[in-house]
Amino acid sequence: MATWKILSLKYDNNAGEDQLVALSAAEGVDGVGFARKVFTNTLTGVVGPAPLTPYDSLTEAQVVTLVQTDIGPAGVTAAEVYVDAQATLKKESIEDLPTNTGLPWS
């Protein structure tokens, strides 16, 4: 099952507009298989003076929700399906190594 995390977060005041630049990732793990899809989102209207949220009061869960909203439900689903499938493929490629036959020392 895919999980989401925030890799970095930058607060910017660009031309008087408060912006968050979030680098996030959807990650999939299947045993030894791992996959990640990274997103960069510029979010406006989120941080600043009341009624907005102060930057130092943001939680990772809030920012993940903001990023997922910005990406949209179809984009979130596509990212999660992709990383889960890639993690499984990588696991299988590690666990199911082909056996070498016909070698003189086998």
Side-chain angles (χ1 to χ4, degrees):
M1 184 173 116
T3 57
W4 287 80
K5 70 189 315 182
I6 301 301
L7 303 174
S8 72
L9 189 63
K10 178 182 167 195
Y11 173 70
D12 230 352
N13 187 289
N14 187 10
E17 183 176 35
D18 294 323
Q19 296 180 336
L20 276 180
V21 180
L23 184 64
S24 62
E27 297 179 341
V29 177
D30 186 356
V32 294
F34 175 81
R36 174 186 276 177
K37 185 168 180 69
V38 177
F39 296 88
T40 302
N41 298 81
T42 301
L43 309 166
T44 58
V46 176
V47 295
L52 300 176
T53 305
Y55 179 78
D56 59 356
S57 296
L58 288 170
T59 65
E60 183 174 21
Q62 285 174 306
V63 178
V64 165
T65 299
L66 292 167
V67 165
Q68 289 178 334
T69 300
D70 193 51
I71 294 169
V76 169
T77 299
E80 291 175 352
V81 167
Y82 173 80
V83 296
D84 286 340
Q86 290 300 308
T88 299
L89 287 172
K90 289 181 181 179
K91 172 190 169 201
E92 290 169 356
S93 72
I94 292 169
E95 291 179 347
D96 300 333
L97 292 174
T99 354
N100 291 326
T101 57
L103 299 174
W105 54 86
S106 351

Coordinates of all heavy atoms in Angstrom, one line a residue:
M1 N 0.8 -1.2 0.0 CA 0.0 0.0 0.0 C 0.9 1.2 0.0 O 1.8 1.4 0.8 CB -0.9 0.0 1.2 CG -1.9 1.1 1.2 SD -3.0 1.0 2.6 CE -2.6 2.4 3.5
A2 N 0.6 2.2 -0.9 CA 1.4 3.4 -1.0 C 1.2 4.3 0.2 O 0.1 4.3 0.8 CB 1.0 4.1 -2.2
T3 N 2.3 5.0 0.6 CA 2.2 6.0 1.6 C 2.7 7.3 1.0 O 3.4 7.3 0.0 CB 3.1 5.6 2.8 OG1 4.4 5.4 2.4 CG2 2.5 4.3 3.5
W4 N 2.4 8.4 1.7 CA 2.8 9.7 1.2 C 3.7 10.3 2.3 O 3.4 10.2 3.5 CB 1.6 10.6 1.0 CG 0.9 10.2 -0.3 CD1 0.0 9.2 -0.4 CD2 1.0 10.8 -1.6 NE1 -0.5 9.1 -1.7 CE2 0.1 10.1 -2.4 CE3 1.7 11.9 -2.1 CZ2 0.0 10.4 -3.8 CZ3 1.6 12.2 -3.4 CH2 0.7 11.5 -4.2
K5 N 4.7 11.1 1.9 CA 5.5 11.8 2.8 C 6.0 13.1 2.2 O 6.0 13.3 1.0 CB 6.7 11.0 3.3 CG 7.7 10.7 2.2 CD 8.8 9.7 2.6 CE 9.4 9.9 4.0 NZ 10.4 9.0 4.3
I6 N 6.3 14.1 3.0 CA 6.8 15.4 2.6 C 8.3 15.3 2.7 O 8.9 15.0 3.8 CB 6.3 16.5 3.4 CG1 4.7 16.6 3.3 CG2 6.9 17.8 3.0 CD1 4.2 16.7 1.9
L7 N 9.0 15.5 1.6 CA 10.5 15.4 1.6 C 11.1 16.7 2.0 O 12.1 16.8 2.7 CB 11.0 15.0 0.2 CG 10.4 13.6 -0.3 CD1 10.9 13.4 -1.7 CD2 10.8 12.5 0.6
S8 N 10.5 17.8 1.5 CA 11.0 19.2 1.9 C 9.8 20.2 1.8 O 8.9 19.9 1.0 CB 12.2 19.6 1.1 OG 11.9 19.9 -0.2
L9 N 9.9 21.2 2.5 CA 8.9 22.3 2.4 C 9.6 23.6 2.6 O 10.4 23.8 3.4 CB 7.9 22.0 3.6 CG 6.7 22.9 3.7 CD1 5.8 22.5 2.5 CD2 5.9 22.6 4.9
K10 N 9.2 24.5 1.6 CA 9.8 25.8 1.6 C 8.7 26.9 1.6 O 7.7 26.8 0.9 CB 10.7 26.0 0.4 CG 11.3 27.3 0.2 CD 12.1 27.3 -1.1 CE 12.5 28.8 -1.4 NZ 13.0 28.9 -2.8
Y11 N 8.9 27.9 2.5 CA 7.9 29.0 2.5 C 8.5 30.1 1.8 O 9.6 30.5 1.9 CB 7.7 29.4 4.0 CG 6.9 30.6 4.2 CD1 5.5 30.6 3.9 CD2 7.4 31.8 4.6 CE1 4.7 31.7 4.0 CE2 6.6 32.9 4.8 CZ 5.3 32.9 4.5 OH 4.5 34.0 4.6
D12 N 7.7 30.7 0.9 CA 8.1 31.8 0.0 C 7.1 32.9 0.0 O 5.9 32.6 0.0 CB 8.2 31.2 -1.4 CG 9.5 31.5 -2.1 OD1 10.3 32.3 -1.6 OD2 9.7 31.0 -3.2
N13 N 7.6 34.1 0.1 CA 6.7 35.3 -0.1 C 7.1 35.9 -1.4 O 8.0 36.7 -1.4 CB 6.8 36.2 1.1 CG 5.8 37.3 1.0 OD1 5.9 38.2 0.2 ND2 4.8 37.2 1.9
N14 N 6.4 35.5 -2.4 CA 6.8 35.9 -3.8 C 5.8 37.0 -4.2 O 4.6 36.8 -4.4 CB 6.7 34.7 -4.7 CG 7.2 35.1 -6.1 OD1 7.7 36.1 -6.4 ND2 7.0 34.2 -7.0
A15 N 6.3 38.3 -4.3 CA 5.5 39.4 -4.8 C 4.3 39.6 -3.8 O 3.2 39.9 -4.2 CB 5.0 39.3 -6.2
G16 N 4.6 39.4 -2.5 CA 3.5 39.6 -1.5 C 2.5 38.5 -1.4 O 1.6 38.6 -0.6
E17 N 2.7 37.4 -2.1 CA 1.8 36.3 -2.0 C 2.5 35.1 -1.3 O 3.7 34.7 -1.7 CB 1.4 35.8 -3.4 CG 0.5 34.6 -3.4 CD 0.0 34.2 -4.8 OE1 0.8 34.3 -5.7 OE2 -1.2 33.9 -4.9
D18 N 1.9 34.6 -0.2 CA 2.5 33.5 0.5 C 2.4 32.2 -0.2 O 1.3 31.9 -0.6 CB 1.8 33.4 1.9 CG 2.1 34.6 2.8 OD1 3.2 35.2 2.7 OD2 1.2 35.1 3.5
Q19 N 3.5 31.5 -0.4 CA 3.5 30.3 -1.1 C 4.2 29.2 -0.3 O 5.2 29.5 0.3 CB 4.1 30.4 -2.5 CG 3.4 31.3 -3.4 CD 4.2 31.4 -4.8 OE1 5.4 31.2 -4.9 NE2 3.4 31.8 -5.8
L20 N 3.7 28.0 -0.4 CA 4.5 26.8 0.1 C 4.9 26.1 -1.2 O 4.1 25.8 -2.1 CB 3.5 25.9 0.9 CG 3.3 26.2 2.3 CD1 2.4 25.2 2.9 CD2 4.6 26.3 3.1
V21 N 6.2 25.7 -1.2 CA 6.7 24.8 -2.2 C 7.0 23.5 -1.5 O 7.9 23.4 -0.7 CB 7.9 25.4 -2.9 CG1 8.4 24.4 -4.0 CG2 7.6 26.8 -3.5
A22 N 6.2 22.5 -1.9 CA 6.3 21.2 -1.2 C 6.9 20.2 -2.2 O 6.4 20.0 -3.3 CB 4.9 20.7 -0.8
L23 N 7.9 19.5 -1.7 CA 8.4 18.3 -2.5 C 7.9 17.1 -1.7 O 8.3 16.9 -0.5 CB 10.0 18.4 -2.5 CG 10.7 17.3 -3.2 CD1 10.4 17.5 -4.7 CD2 12.2 17.4 -3.0
S24 N 7.1 16.3 -2.3 CA 6.5 15.2 -1.7 C 6.7 13.9 -2.5 O 7.2 14.0 -3.6 CB 5.0 15.4 -1.5 OG 4.4 15.6 -2.8
A25 N 6.4 12.8 -1.9 CA 6.5 11.5 -2.6 C 5.4 10.5 -2.2 O 5.0 10.5 -1.0 CB 7.9 10.9 -2.3
A26 N 5.0 9.8 -3.2 CA 4.2 8.6 -2.9 C 5.2 7.4 -3.0 O 6.0 7.4 -3.9 CB 3.1 8.4 -4.0
E27 N 5.2 6.6 -2.0 CA 6.1 5.5 -1.9 C 5.4 4.2 -1.7 O 4.4 4.1 -1.0 CB 7.1 5.7 -0.7 CG 7.9 6.9 -0.8 CD 8.8 7.1 0.4 OE1 8.6 6.5 1.5 OE2 9.8 7.9 0.3
G28 N 5.9 3.2 -2.4 CA 5.4 1.8 -2.4 C 6.5 0.9 -1.9 O 7.6 1.0 -2.3
V29 N 6.1 0.0 -1.0 CA 7.0 -1.0 -0.5 C 6.4 -2.4 -0.6 O 5.2 -2.6 -0.2 CB 7.4 -0.8 1.0 CG1 8.4 -1.8 1.5 CG2 8.1 0.6 1.1
D30 N 7.1 -3.4 -1.2 CA 6.6 -4.7 -1.2 C 7.8 -5.6 -0.9 O 8.7 -5.9 -1.7 CB 6.1 -5.1 -2.6 CG 5.4 -6.5 -2.6 OD1 5.5 -7.2 -1.6 OD2 4.9 -6.8 -3.7
G31 N 8.0 -6.0 0.4 CA 9.1 -6.8 0.8 C 10.4 -6.0 0.6 O 10.6 -4.9 1.1
V32 N 11.3 -6.5 -0.3 CA 12.5 -5.8 -0.6 C 12.3 -4.8 -1.8 O 13.3 -4.1 -2.1 CB 13.6 -6.8 -1.0 CG1 14.0 -7.7 0.2 CG2 13.2 -7.7 -2.1
G33 N 11.2 -4.8 -2.4 CA 10.9 -3.9 -3.5 C 10.5 -2.5 -3.0 O 9.7 -2.4 -2.0
F34 N 11.0 -1.5 -3.6 CA 10.7 -0.1 -3.2 C 10.5 0.8 -4.4 O 11.3 0.6 -5.4 CB 11.8 0.5 -2.3 CG 11.6 1.9 -1.9 CD1 10.7 2.3 -0.9 CD2 12.2 2.9 -2.6 CE1 10.5 3.6 -0.6 CE2 12.1 4.3 -2.3 CZ 11.2 4.6 -1.3
A35 N 9.5 1.7 -4.4 CA 9.4 2.6 -5.6 C 8.9 3.9 -5.0 O 8.2 4.0 -4.0 CB 8.4 2.1 -6.6
R36 N 9.3 5.0 -5.7 CA 8.9 6.4 -5.3 C 8.6 7.2 -6.5 O 9.2 7.2 -7.5 CB 10.0 7.0 -4.5 CG 9.8 8.4 -4.1 CD 11.1 9.0 -3.5 NE 11.1 8.7 -2.1 CZ 12.1 9.1 -1.3 NH1 13.1 9.7 -1.7 NH2 12.0 8.8 0.0
K37 N 7.5 8.0 -6.3 CA 7.1 9.0 -7.4 C 7.1 10.3 -6.6 O 6.5 10.5 -5.6 CB 5.8 8.7 -8.0 CG 5.4 9.6 -9.1 CD 4.2 9.1 -9.9 CE 3.8 10.0 -11.0 NZ 4.7 10.0 -12.1
V38 N 7.9 11.3 -7.2 CA 8.1 12.6 -6.5 C 7.3 13.7 -7.2 O 7.2 13.7 -8.4 CB 9.6 12.9 -6.5 CG1 9.9 14.3 -5.8 CG2 10.4 11.8 -5.7
F39 N 6.8 14.6 -6.4 CA 6.0 15.7 -6.9 C 6.5 17.0 -6.3 O 6.9 17.0 -5.1 CB 4.5 15.6 -6.4 CG 3.8 14.4 -7.0 CD1 3.8 13.2 -6.4 CD2 3.1 14.5 -8.2 CE1 3.2 12.0 -6.9 CE2 2.4 13.4 -8.7 CZ 2.5 12.2 -8.1
T40 N 6.4 18.1 -7.1 CA 6.7 19.4 -6.6 C 5.4 20.2 -6.8 O 5.0 20.3 -7.9 CB 7.9 20.1 -7.3 OG1 9.0 19.2 -7.2 CG2 8.2 21.4 -6.8
N41 N 4.9 20.8 -5.7 CA 3.7 21.6 -5.8 C 3.9 22.9 -5.2 O 4.5 23.0 -4.1 CB 2.5 20.9 -5.1 CG 2.2 19.5 -5.7 OD1 2.9 18.6 -5.4 ND2 1.2 19.5 -6.5
T42 N 3.5 24.0 -5.8 CA 3.5 25.3 -5.3 C 2.0 25.6 -4.8 O 1.1 25.7 -5.7 CB 4.0 26.3 -6.3 OG1 5.3 26.0 -6.7 CG2 4.0 27.7 -5.7
L43 N 1.9 25.8 -3.5 CA 0.6 26.0 -3.0 C 0.4 27.4 -2.5 O 1.3 27.9 -1.8 CB 0.4 25.0 -1.8 CG 0.7 23.5 -2.1 CD1 0.8 22.7 -0.8 CD2 -0.3 22.9 -3.0
T44 N -0.7 28.0 -2.8 CA -0.9 29.4 -2.4 C -2.2 29.4 -1.5 O -3.0 28.5 -1.6 CB -1.1 30.4 -3.6 OG1 -2.2 29.9 -4.4 CG2 0.1 30.5 -4.4
G45 N -2.3 30.5 -0.7 CA -3.5 30.7 0.1 C -3.6 29.7 1.3 O -4.6 29.3 1.8
V46 N -2.4 29.2 1.7 CA -2.3 28.2 2.8 C -1.7 28.8 4.0 O -2.3 28.6 5.1 CB -1.5 27.0 2.3 CG1 -1.4 26.0 3.4 CG2 -2.1 26.4 1.1
V47 N -0.6 29.4 3.9 CA 0.1 29.9 5.1 C 0.1 31.4 5.1 O 0.0 32.1 4.1 CB 1.6 29.5 5.1 CG1 1.7 28.0 5.3 CG2 2.4 29.9 3.9
G48 N 0.2 32.0 6.3 CA 0.2 33.4 6.5 C -0.5 33.8 7.7 O -0.8 33.0 8.6
P49 N -0.8 35.1 7.8 CA -1.5 35.5 9.0 C -3.0 35.0 9.0 O -3.5 34.6 8.0 CB -1.5 37.1 8.9 CG -1.2 37.3 7.4 CD -0.5 36.1 6.9
A50 N -3.6 35.0 10.2 CA -4.9 34.5 10.4 C -5.8 35.2 9.4 O -5.6 36.3 9.1 CB -5.4 34.8 11.8
P51 N -6.7 34.4 8.8 CA -7.2 33.1 9.1 C -6.4 32.0 8.5 O -6.8 30.8 8.7 CB -8.7 33.1 8.6 CG -8.5 33.9 7.3 CD -7.5 35.0 7.7
L52 N -5.3 32.2 7.9 CA -4.5 31.2 7.3 C -3.7 30.5 8.4 O -3.6 31.0 9.5 CB -3.6 31.7 6.2 CG -4.3 32.4 5.0 CD1 -3.2 33.0 4.1 CD2 -5.2 31.4 4.3
T53 N -3.0 29.4 8.1 CA -2.2 28.7 9.1 C -0.8 29.3 9.2 O -0.2 29.4 8.1 CB -2.2 27.2 8.7 OG1 -3.5 26.7 8.6 CG2 -1.4 26.4 9.8
P54 N -0.3 29.6 10.3 CA 1.1 30.0 10.4 C 2.0 28.8 10.0 O 1.7 27.6 10.3 CB 1.3 30.3 11.9 CG -0.1 30.4 12.5 CD -1.0 29.6 11.6
Y55 N 3.1 29.1 9.3 CA 4.0 28.1 8.8 C 4.4 27.1 9.9 O 4.4 25.9 9.7 CB 5.2 28.8 8.2 CG 6.2 27.8 7.6 CD1 6.0 27.2 6.4 CD2 7.4 27.5 8.3 CE1 6.9 26.3 5.9 CE2 8.3 26.6 7.8 CZ 8.1 26.0 6.6 OH 9.0 25.1 6.1
D56 N 4.8 27.6 11.1 CA 5.3 26.8 12.1 C 4.2 25.9 12.8 O 4.5 25.1 13.7 CB 6.1 27.5 13.1 CG 5.3 28.6 13.8 OD1 4.2 28.9 13.5 OD2 5.9 29.3 14.7
S57 N 3.0 26.1 12.4 CA 1.9 25.3 12.9 C 1.4 24.2 12.0 O 0.6 23.4 12.3 CB 0.7 26.1 13.3 OG 1.0 27.1 14.3
L58 N 2.0 24.1 10.8 CA 1.6 23.1 9.8 C 2.1 21.7 10.3 O 3.2 21.6 10.9 CB 2.3 23.4 8.4 CG 1.7 24.5 7.7 CD1 2.6 24.8 6.5 CD2 0.3 24.2 7.2
T59 N 1.3 20.7 10.0 CA 1.7 19.3 10.3 C 2.0 18.6 8.9 O 1.5 19.1 7.9 CB 0.7 18.5 11.0 OG1 -0.5 18.4 10.2 CG2 0.3 19.2 12.3
E60 N 2.7 17.5 9.0 CA 2.9 16.8 7.7 C 1.6 16.3 7.1 O 1.4 16.3 5.9 CB 3.9 15.6 8.0 CG 4.2 14.8 6.7 CD 5.2 13.8 6.8 OE1 5.5 13.3 7.9 OE2 5.8 13.4 5.8
A61 N 0.7 15.8 8.0 CA -0.6 15.3 7.5 C -1.3 16.4 6.8 O -2.0 16.2 5.7 CB -1.4 14.8 8.7
Q62 N -1.3 17.7 7.3 CA -2.0 18.8 6.6 C -1.4 19.0 5.2 O -2.1 19.3 4.3 CB -1.9 20.1 7.4 CG -2.7 20.1 8.6 CD -2.4 21.4 9.5 OE1 -1.3 21.6 9.8 NE2 -3.5 22.1 9.7
V63 N 0.0 19.0 5.2 CA 0.6 19.3 3.9 C 0.4 18.2 2.9 O 0.2 18.5 1.7 CB 2.1 19.6 4.1 CG1 2.8 19.9 2.8 CG2 2.3 20.8 5.1
V64 N 0.4 17.0 3.4 CA 0.1 15.8 2.5 C -1.3 16.0 1.9 O -1.5 15.8 0.7 CB 0.2 14.5 3.2 CG1 -0.4 13.4 2.4 CG2 1.7 14.2 3.4
T65 N -2.3 16.4 2.7 CA -3.6 16.6 2.2 C -3.7 17.7 1.2 O -4.4 17.6 0.2 CB -4.6 16.9 3.4 OG1 -4.6 15.8 4.3 CG2 -6.0 17.2 3.0
L66 N -3.0 18.8 1.5 CA -2.9 19.9 0.5 C -2.3 19.5 -0.8 O -2.8 19.9 -1.9 CB -2.1 21.1 1.1 CG -2.7 21.8 2.3 CD1 -1.7 22.7 3.0 CD2 -3.9 22.6 1.9
V67 N -1.2 18.7 -0.8 CA -0.6 18.3 -2.0 C -1.5 17.3 -2.8 O -1.7 17.5 -4.0 CB 0.8 17.5 -1.6 CG1 1.3 16.7 -2.8 CG2 1.8 18.5 -1.2
Q68 N -2.2 16.4 -2.0 CA -3.1 15.5 -2.7 C -4.3 16.2 -3.3 O -4.7 15.9 -4.4 CB -3.6 14.4 -1.7 CG -2.5 13.4 -1.4 CD -2.9 12.4 -0.4 OE1 -3.8 12.6 0.4 NE2 -2.3 11.2 -0.4
T69 N -4.7 17.2 -2.7 CA -5.8 18.0 -3.2 C -5.4 18.7 -4.5 O -6.1 18.8 -5.5 CB -6.3 19.1 -2.2 OG1 -6.8 18.4 -1.0 CG2 -7.4 19.9 -2.7
D70 N -4.1 19.3 -4.5 CA -3.6 20.0 -5.6 C -3.4 19.0 -6.8 O -3.6 19.3 -7.9 CB -2.2 20.6 -5.2 CG -1.7 21.6 -6.3 OD1 -2.5 22.5 -6.7 OD2 -0.6 21.5 -6.7
I71 N -2.9 17.8 -6.5 CA -2.7 16.8 -7.6 C -4.1 16.3 -8.1 O -4.2 16.0 -9.3 CB -1.9 15.6 -7.0 CG1 -0.5 16.1 -6.7 CG2 -1.8 14.4 -8.0 CD1 0.3 15.1 -5.9
G72 N -5.0 16.2 -7.2 CA -6.4 15.7 -7.6 C -6.5 14.2 -7.4 O -5.5 13.4 -7.4
P73 N -7.8 13.7 -7.2 CA -8.0 12.3 -6.9 C -7.5 11.3 -8.0 O -6.9 10.3 -7.6 CB -9.5 12.2 -6.8 CG -10.0 13.6 -6.6 CD -9.0 14.5 -7.2
A74 N -7.6 11.7 -9.2 CA -7.1 10.8 -10.3 C -5.6 10.7 -10.3 O -5.0 9.6 -10.4 CB -7.6 11.2 -11.7
G75 N -4.9 11.8 -10.0 CA -3.5 11.8 -10.0 C -3.0 11.1 -8.8 O -1.9 10.3 -8.9
V76 N -3.6 11.2 -7.6 CA -3.2 10.5 -6.4 C -3.4 9.0 -6.6 O -2.5 8.2 -6.3 CB -4.1 10.9 -5.2 CG1 -3.9 10.0 -4.0 CG2 -3.7 12.4 -4.8
T77 N -4.5 8.6 -7.2 CA -4.8 7.1 -7.4 C -3.7 6.6 -8.4 O -3.2 5.5 -8.2 CB -6.2 6.9 -8.0 OG1 -7.1 7.4 -7.0 CG2 -6.5 5.5 -8.3
A78 N -3.5 7.3 -9.5 CA -2.5 6.9 -10.5 C -1.1 6.7 -9.9 O -0.4 5.7 -10.1 CB -2.4 7.8 -11.7
A79 N -0.7 7.7 -9.0 CA 0.6 7.6 -8.4 C 0.7 6.4 -7.4 O 1.7 5.7 -7.4 CB 0.9 8.9 -7.6
E80 N -0.3 6.2 -6.7 CA -0.3 5.0 -5.7 C -0.3 3.7 -6.5 O 0.4 2.8 -6.1 CB -1.5 5.1 -4.8 CG -1.4 6.3 -3.8 CD -2.6 6.5 -2.9 OE1 -3.7 5.9 -3.1 OE2 -2.5 7.4 -2.0
V81 N -1.1 3.6 -7.5 CA -1.1 2.3 -8.3 C 0.3 2.1 -8.9 O 0.8 1.0 -8.9 CB -2.2 2.4 -9.4 CG1 -2.1 1.3 -10.4 CG2 -3.6 2.3 -8.7
Y82 N 0.9 3.2 -9.4 CA 2.2 3.1 -10.1 C 3.3 2.6 -9.1 O 4.0 1.7 -9.4 CB 2.6 4.4 -10.7 CG 4.0 4.5 -11.2 CD1 4.3 3.9 -12.4 CD2 5.0 5.0 -10.4 CE1 5.6 4.0 -12.9 CE2 6.3 5.0 -10.9 CZ 6.6 4.5 -12.1 OH 7.9 4.5 -12.6
V83 N 3.4 3.3 -7.9 CA 4.4 2.9 -7.0 C 4.2 1.5 -6.4 O 5.2 0.8 -6.2 CB 4.7 3.9 -5.9 CG1 5.1 5.3 -6.4 CG2 3.4 4.1 -5.0
D84 N 3.0 1.1 -6.2 CA 2.7 -0.2 -5.7 C 3.1 -1.3 -6.7 O 3.8 -2.3 -6.4 CB 1.3 -0.4 -5.3 CG 0.9 0.3 -4.0 OD1 1.8 0.6 -3.2 OD2 -0.3 0.6 -3.7
A85 N 2.8 -1.0 -8.0 CA 3.2 -2.0 -9.0 C 4.7 -2.0 -9.2 O 5.2 -3.1 -9.4 CB 2.5 -1.6 -10.3
Q86 N 5.3 -0.9 -9.2 CA 6.8 -0.9 -9.4 C 7.5 -1.5 -8.2 O 8.5 -2.2 -8.5 CB 7.3 0.6 -9.5 CG 6.9 1.2 -10.8 CD 7.4 0.5 -12.1 OE1 8.6 0.2 -12.1 NE2 6.5 0.2 -13.0
A87 N 7.0 -1.4 -7.0 CA 7.6 -2.0 -5.9 C 7.5 -3.5 -6.0 O 8.5 -4.3 -5.7 CB 7.0 -1.5 -4.6
T88 N 6.4 -4.0 -6.5 CA 6.2 -5.5 -6.6 C 7.1 -6.0 -7.7 O 7.7 -7.0 -7.6 CB 4.7 -5.8 -7.0 OG1 3.9 -5.3 -5.9 CG2 4.5 -7.3 -7.2
L89 N 7.2 -5.3 -8.8 CA 8.1 -5.7 -9.9 C 9.6 -5.7 -9.4 O 10.3 -6.7 -9.8 CB 8.0 -4.7 -11.1 CG 6.8 -4.8 -11.9 CD1 6.7 -3.7 -13.0 CD2 6.7 -6.2 -12.6
K90 N 10.0 -4.7 -8.7 CA 11.4 -4.7 -8.2 C 11.6 -5.9 -7.2 O 12.7 -6.5 -7.2 CB 11.7 -3.4 -7.5 CG 11.8 -2.3 -8.6 CD 12.2 -1.0 -8.0 CE 12.2 0.1 -9.1 NZ 12.5 1.4 -8.6
K91 N 10.6 -6.2 -6.3 CA 10.7 -7.3 -5.4 C 10.9 -8.6 -6.2 O 11.8 -9.4 -5.9 CB 9.5 -7.4 -4.6 CG 9.4 -8.6 -3.7 CD 8.0 -8.8 -3.1 CE 7.9 -10.1 -2.5 NZ 6.5 -10.5 -2.3
E92 N 10.1 -8.8 -7.2 CA 10.1 -10.0 -8.0 C 11.5 -10.1 -8.7 O 12.0 -11.2 -8.9 CB 9.0 -10.0 -9.0 CG 7.6 -10.3 -8.3 CD 6.5 -10.1 -9.2 OE1 6.6 -9.7 -10.4 OE2 5.3 -10.3 -8.8
S93 N 12.0 -9.0 -9.2 CA 13.3 -9.1 -9.9 C 14.4 -9.4 -9.0 O 15.4 -10.0 -9.4 CB 13.6 -7.7 -10.7 OG 13.9 -6.7 -9.8
I94 N 14.3 -9.1 -7.7 CA 15.3 -9.4 -6.7 C 15.2 -10.8 -6.3 O 16.2 -11.6 -6.2 CB 15.3 -8.4 -5.5 CG1 15.7 -7.0 -6.0 CG2 16.2 -8.9 -4.4 CD1 15.4 -5.9 -5.0
E95 N 14.0 -11.2 -6.0 CA 13.7 -12.6 -5.4 C 13.7 -13.7 -6.5 O 14.1 -14.8 -6.1 CB 12.4 -12.6 -4.7 CG 12.4 -11.8 -3.5 CD 11.0 -11.8 -2.7 OE1 10.0 -12.2 -3.3 OE2 11.0 -11.3 -1.6
D96 N 13.4 -13.4 -7.7 CA 13.3 -14.4 -8.7 C 14.5 -14.3 -9.7 O 14.3 -14.2 -10.9 CB 12.0 -14.3 -9.5 CG 10.8 -14.5 -8.6 OD1 10.9 -15.1 -7.5 OD2 9.7 -13.9 -8.9
L97 N 15.7 -14.3 -9.2 CA 16.8 -14.3 -10.1 C 16.9 -15.6 -10.9 O 16.7 -16.7 -10.4 CB 18.1 -14.1 -9.3 CG 18.3 -12.8 -8.5 CD1 19.5 -12.8 -7.7 CD2 18.3 -11.7 -9.5
P98 N 17.2 -15.4 -12.2 CA 17.3 -16.7 -13.0 C 18.5 -17.5 -12.6 O 19.5 -17.0 -12.1 CB 17.5 -16.1 -14.4 CG 18.0 -14.7 -14.2 CD 17.5 -14.2 -12.9
T99 N 18.3 -18.8 -12.7 CA 19.4 -19.7 -12.4 C 20.2 -19.9 -13.7 O 19.7 -20.1 -14.7 CB 18.8 -21.1 -12.0 OG1 17.4 -21.1 -11.9 CG2 19.4 -21.5 -10.7
N100 N 21.5 -19.9 -13.5 CA 22.4 -20.1 -14.6 C 22.6 -21.6 -14.8 O 23.0 -22.3 -13.9 CB 23.7 -19.4 -14.3 CG 23.6 -17.9 -14.3 OD1 22.8 -17.4 -15.1 ND2 24.4 -17.2 -13.5
T101 N 22.2 -22.0 -16.0 CA 22.4 -23.5 -16.3 C 23.4 -23.5 -17.4 O 23.6 -22.6 -18.2 CB 21.1 -24.1 -16.7 OG1 20.6 -23.4 -17.8 CG2 20.1 -24.1 -15.6
G102 N 24.1 -24.7 -17.5 CA 25.0 -24.9 -18.5 C 26.4 -24.3 -18.3 O 27.3 -24.3 -19.1
L103 N 26.6 -23.8 -17.1 CA 27.9 -23.3 -16.7 C 28.8 -24.5 -16.4 O 28.4 -25.4 -15.8 CB 27.9 -22.3 -15.6 CG 27.0 -21.1 -15.8 CD1 26.9 -20.2 -14.5 CD2 27.7 -20.2 -16.9
P104 N 30.1 -24.4 -16.7 CA 31.0 -25.6 -16.5 C 31.1 -25.9 -15.0 O 31.4 -27.1 -14.6 CB 32.3 -25.2 -17.1 CG 32.2 -23.7 -17.3 CD 30.8 -23.4 -17.4
W105 N 30.9 -25.0 -14.1 CA 31.1 -25.3 -12.7 C 29.8 -25.6 -12.0 O 29.8 -25.8 -10.8 CB 31.8 -24.1 -12.0 CG 31.1 -22.8 -12.2 CD1 30.0 -22.3 -11.5 CD2 31.4 -21.8 -13.2 NE1 29.6 -21.1 -12.0 CE2 30.5 -20.8 -13.1 CE3 32.3 -21.7 -14.2 CZ2 30.4 -19.7 -13.9 CZ3 32.3 -20.6 -15.0 CH2 31.3 -19.6 -14.9
S106 N 28.6 -25.6 -12.7 CA 27.4 -26.0 -12.1 C 27.1 -27.4 -12.1 O 27.5 -28.2 -12.9 CB 26.2 -25.3 -12.7 OG 26.3 -24.3 -13.6

